Amino acid sequence: SLGNPIHSRLNVIPPVSLRFISDVVIMEPGTSRSVELEVKSARANSSGKISLEAPHEDSSHAWKIEPRTHSFDFASVGQAAKFTFTVTAPSKSETATLRASAEINGARYHSQRQEINYPHIPRQLLQAPAMLKVVSLQLKTRGHAVGYLPGAGDSLVENLQQMGYAVKTLDDANLTAKDLEGLDAVVIGVRAFNVREKIGSALPTLFQYIEKGGTVIAQYNRPDKLKAEKIAPFDLHISGDRVTDEKAAITFLAPDSPVLNSPNTITKSDFDGWVQERGLYFANRWDPHFTPILSCNDAGEPPSQGALLIAPYGKGHYVYTGLGFFRQLPAGVPGAYRLFANLVSLGK
C-alpha cells in the first residue's frame, strides 16, 4: 500500500520574483534616496529589464526615478542580484506607492514571492505585487542615537533608521549603564515585557538612565504573563482596552505637552490615514506622575485616556503607549512618524 497520498497545490510562478529591500522610504520633499530591488530567478536563462513605476509620472509633482531601467541576465535557477534606483520626491509633502516590474521577452511580471511553510498549516505561496511605500514629509527630529530593546517583532529599527537615527540593539540579559551611554532615547519593542525573560533585571539600569535625563518609550504589552513586577518607575496598570476604529476621533487632553508641539506641531490631521486600528492594550490606571495625552474610543464605548502616557522621572521621561506605531510606521503613515519623532525627541 502507498498509504495516504499527500496533496500539494500546484503554483504557477513567473520566471523571476521581485523584492524591495525596505518596506517604506521616508524623505524630505525635493530630496533623493537610494532604493534597492532584489531580483531572483525561478527559471534558467532568464534575462530582461526591471523598472519602477510611480503614479503621475508626467505630472510636475511626480516622483522621479533614475535610471529608467536595469538589465539582468540569470543563467541558473535561484540566482539573485540587487539593483539600485535613485528616487527623488516632489517638492511638496506626498505619499505614493512605487511598483516594480520585470520585462522578459515582451511579457511583464510584477510579483514578489513569499513561502509560508509551518508544520501546523498547509504550505502556502504568496505572490503579491512588489510595492514600496514612499513618503515625502517635513519631519523634524532631535537627537542622533536610539537604543532598541526588541520585543515580539516589529520593524521599528528600520523605521527609526529611515527617520535618520543610528540604532543600537540592546540585550536585557546583560544591560549596563555603559550600554546606554550616548543614547538619546531607548525604545522597547511591542510585548517585550511578555517575551523577554530577563527584562525585569534590566529595569533598574533603564530607570537610572531615565533619572539622568534619558527617555524610554515602552510600546504595548499584554497585561497577562508579564515578565516583570513593574514596567515603569511609577505605578502603571495595562488593560485590554483598545480602539479598533482607525478613524476614531482623537481628543487632545494635554494640548500644551511638548510631545504635541516639539519639534513637530501635531494636529488632528496627523491621525488621518491610520491603518487597522488606533491601538491596543491601553493603560487603565496610573500614578499621578503620568499625564494622559490623548483620548479616543470606538463607537458606543467610553473614552479611553490610556493610549499615550508620559511621566517625568528625575531629569528624563518614561512613555507608555498602546498606539499602534508598529503598524503605522511600516505603512508609512506621515502623522505617526511625526508623533513618534516627538516622543524620541522628548527632553532634547
Side-chain angles (χ1 to χ4, degrees):
S1 171
L2 295 177
N4 295 325
I6 298 176
H7 297 279
S8 180
R9 177 180 175 178
L10 177 65
N11 292 294
V12 178
I13 61 175
V16 295
S17 61
L18 309 170
R19 181 180 72 91
F20 284 104
I21 304 304
S22 299
D23 294 325
V24 62
V25 170
I26 307 297
M27 65 183 81
E28 292 281 333
T31 62
S32 300
R33 292 284 295 269
S34 294
V35 167
E36 278 192 309
L37 179 70
E38 182 184 67
V39 185
K40 187 173 184 179
S41 67
R43 187 178 303 160
N45 301 315
S46 295
S47 62
K49 295 181 178 181
I50 56 169
S51 61
L52 303 187
E53 304 164 6
H56 315 299
E57 291 190 67
D58 298 327
S59 166
S60 59
H61 299 293
W63 293 79
K64 295 181 174 59
I65 301 170
E66 295 180 344
R68 298 295 297 178
T69 63
H70 280 292
S71 297
F72 63 89
D73 188 358
F74 296 135
S76 58
V77 174
Q79 192 173 346
K82 294 178 182 177
F83 299 91
T84 300
F85 293 87
T86 298
V87 177
T88 302
S91 57
K92 64 175 183 177
S93 296
E94 187 175 294
T95 299
T97 299
L98 305 185
R99 299 175 184 270
S101 65
E103 185 176 354
I104 301 175
N105 296 327
R108 193 171 289 273
Y109 305 95
H110 301 85
S111 300
Q112 57 182 323
R113 186 155 60 244
Q114 179 182 6
E115 183 178 317
I116 300 176
N117 189 9
Y118 293 104
H120 62 287
I121 59 173
R123 182 178 175 182
Q124 300 178 61
L125 184 66
L126 304 181
Q127 299 188 90
M131 298 185 294
L132 172 70
K133 180 70 69 67
V134 286
V135 183
S136 165
L137 79 156
Q138 295 285 354
L139 181 68
K140 299 176 183 178
T141 60
R142 291 179 182 158
H144 304 283
V146 176
Y148 180 72
L149 186 60
D154 56 40
S155 63
L156 264 290
V157 170
E158 179 185 348
N159 303 143
L160 286 163
Q161 290 170 339
Q162 288 283 350
M163 295 164 67
Y165 288 106
V167 182
K168 177 181 181 180
T169 301
L170 303 174
D171 179 8
D172 56 317
N174 301 288
L175 190 66
T176 67
K178 188 173 181 59
D179 295 325
L180 304 178
E181 288 181 2
L183 297 180
D184 297 294
V186 172
V187 177
I188 301 177
V190 296
R191 294 184 53 225
F193 286 95
N194 299 126
V195 299
R196 299 198 72 90
E197 297 293 337
K198 303 294 185 180
I199 195 168
S201 62
L203 288 179
T205 303
L206 285 172
F207 293 165
Q208 185 181 48
Y209 163 77
I210 303 172
E211 197 169 15
K212 291 181 177 180
T215 295
V216 169
I217 302 163
Q219 298 181 87
Y220 92 90
N221 287 269
R222 292 178 58 94
D224 56 324
K225 299 181 180 178
L226 293 170
K227 305 296 184 181
E229 291 185 10
K230 57 187 300 184
I231 69 169
F234 304 110
D235 191 37
L236 177 68
H237 295 268
I238 306 169
S239 72
D241 295 349
R242 63 197 303 162
V243 175
T244 59
D245 182 0
E246 68 272 21
K247 297 181 180 179
I250 298 290
T251 299
F252 288 3
L253 301 174
D256 296 329
S257 170
V259 78
L260 296 178
N261 294 279
S262 179
N264 302 284
T265 301
I266 304 300
T267 68
K268 299 293 180 63
S269 64
D270 285 302
F271 292 91
D272 293 342
W274 284 47
V275 299
Q276 189 160 337
E277 60 193 351
R278 287 299 190 199
L280 66 170
Y281 298 116
F282 296 167
N284 64 348
R285 287 187 289 123
W286 51 84
D287 184 274
H289 285 89
F290 282 102
T291 297
I293 306 299
L294 305 169
S295 174
C296 58
N297 59 275
D298 282 323
E301 297 187 2
S304 174
Q305 298 185 358
L308 178 58
L309 300 169
I310 300 175
Y313 183 67
K315 297 179 180 179
H317 298 84
Y318 177 91
V319 177
Y320 178 80
T321 180
L323 291 172
F325 289 110
F326 72 106
R327 298 195 193 281
Q328 313 312 317
L329 300 184
V333 178
Y337 274 93
R338 286 161 46 82
L339 180 56
F340 204 77
N342 284 10
L343 293 176
V344 174
S345 302
L346 271 172
K348 305 298 180 292

